[in-house]
Amino acid sequence: VWDGETLVGAMSAAMAVLETEKATINALNVFPVPDGDTGTNMALTLQSALEEATSLAPDEALHAGQVANRLARGSLMGARGNSGVILSQIFRGFASAIASADRIDGRQLAGGLAGATQLAYKAVMEPVEGTMLTVIRVAAERAASAAEETSDLASVVSAAHAGAREALAETPKLLEILRQAGVVDAGGKGLVTIFEGWERFVRGDILDRFAHASPDALVGEMAFLDRIDDLHGTDTFGYCTNFMIFGDRMDVERIRAD
C-alpha cells in the first residue's frame, strides 16, 4: 500500500525518470502543434505538483488523499501547455477518487486511474484518440483488470504501465500526423514515463536509466533526436494561452459554452 509519504516517493521517482526522457519527449512533439516542449511542460507541471505536496504538515503528509489533493492543486497552478493542463486533470481525477483514503492498495489505485481518465477526457473539448488520453484510458483499463484479481499495488502498477506502453505503441495507427512523422504521441510518452517511475519505485529501483548506459546507447539516443528535429517548424502565433477562473458553485458547462 501507499500512504501519503510513499505516494510522494512514487511521484518523485516519476519526476526523476521524466527528467531523463524530457529531451526525447520534446522531440516527439508534433501534435497538436510541433513546438517541441511537451517533455518540458510535463516536467514543470509535475515539479509544481511535488512542491505543493511536500508543503503539507507532517501529520497531513501521511494521508494519501490529502497528498493527492495537493498534487492536483499544484499541478493545476503550475500547468504548462496542453499536456500540462491535461496532466493536472489526470491528477485531479485521481485525487477525487481516493480523497478519503489514508492509504491506497492496488484496487484503490485502479479506481484513481479510472477517475483520472474520466476527468481527462472531460477536460478536452474535442478528445482525440492516439494522444495521452488514449494512453491513460488503456492504462486504467489494464489496472482495473488486474485489480479484479489482486489488491497488490505492485501488480496493478505493473499492469497499468504495460497498458500505457501498449497504447503508446498504437498511437501512430490512431493519429495520421504521428504516422506520417514516424513518431508516437509525445504526451502519451510522458505518461508512460510517469508509470515507469511508479513501477521502478515499487520495485525499489529508481536509478537514472542512463546511469550505466553504454556509449553506443547514448549515441543512438542523440541520433534519434537529430533525425526528427526538422519536424519542428516555426509556429505562426507562438503562444498557447490558458485561462484560470476562480469562484464558488460555478456552472462549468455554462462557462465552457460561453
Side-chain angles (χ1 to χ4, degrees):
V1 297
W2 285 348
D3 61 9
E5 185 177 5
T6 44
L7 180 56
V8 168
M11 287 297 185
S12 298
M15 184 76 217
V17 180
L18 184 56
E19 281 291 337
T20 71
E21 296 282 2
K22 187 166 61 177
T24 300
I25 297 168
N26 283 342
L28 293 171
N29 182 197
V30 298
F31 178 86
V33 178
D35 46 7
D37 62 359
T38 293
T40 300
N41 286 340
M42 294 184 76
L44 289 171
T45 302
L46 183 52
Q47 179 182 329
S48 179
L50 281 167
E51 288 172 355
E52 180 74 17
T54 53
S55 69
L56 282 164
D59 57 333
E60 294 177 302
L62 296 175
H63 189 287
Q66 289 175 313
V67 167
N69 185 59
R70 284 296 188 100
L71 287 165
R73 176 175 170 77
S75 64
L76 176 61
M77 300 301 290
R80 302 291 196 278
N82 290 329
S83 58
V85 171
I86 294 172
L87 184 61
S88 76
Q89 295 310 290
I90 287 172
F91 288 161
R92 181 182 163 211
F94 184 88
S96 295
I98 69 162
S100 61
D102 289 329
R103 301 186 300 172
I104 59 171
D105 62 12
R107 292 195 171 102
Q108 288 163 307
L109 183 132
L113 293 178
T117 301
Q118 183 179 19
L119 206 57
Y121 270 84
K122 195 173 182 181
V124 179
M125 295 187 74
E126 296 182 8
V128 175
E129 296 298 338
T131 64
M132 61 192 296
L133 295 177
T134 305
V135 173
I136 189 64
R137 175 176 56 78
V138 176
E141 290 169 355
R142 296 291 190 278
S145 295
E148 291 178 359
E149 304 295 328
T150 179
S151 63
D152 177 61
L153 191 141
S155 298
V156 175
V157 167
S158 180
H161 184 204
R165 291 197 310 270
E166 292 168 15
L168 180 66
E170 294 292 309
T171 55
K173 298 178 182 178
L174 299 172
L175 200 55
E176 178 63 16
I177 191 172
L178 300 179
R179 188 192 66 77
Q180 291 178 3
V183 298
V184 294
D185 180 67
K189 173 66 173 174
L191 283 180
V192 168
T193 301
I194 289 172
F195 283 118
E196 180 182 345
W198 284 13
E199 185 164 17
R200 287 186 176 206
F201 181 77
V202 296
R203 291 200 319 251
D205 169 23
I206 56 172
L207 296 177
D208 185 317
R209 78 180 181 93
F210 290 139
H212 306 290
S214 68
D216 288 344
L218 295 175
V219 169
E221 182 78 14
M222 296 311 298
F224 166 73
L225 298 181
D226 291 340
R227 180 175 66 81
I228 62 177
D229 186 56
D230 59 358
L231 292 171
H232 301 143
T234 301
D235 180 29
T236 303
F237 299 102
Y239 295 94
C240 174
T241 305
N242 299 290
F243 294 89
M244 278 190 178
I245 305 174
F246 298 88
D248 297 318
R249 297 183 297 280
M250 295 187 296
D251 184 338
V252 175
E253 292 307 316
R254 180 178 176 182
I255 291 170
R256 185 193 298 265
D258 290 344

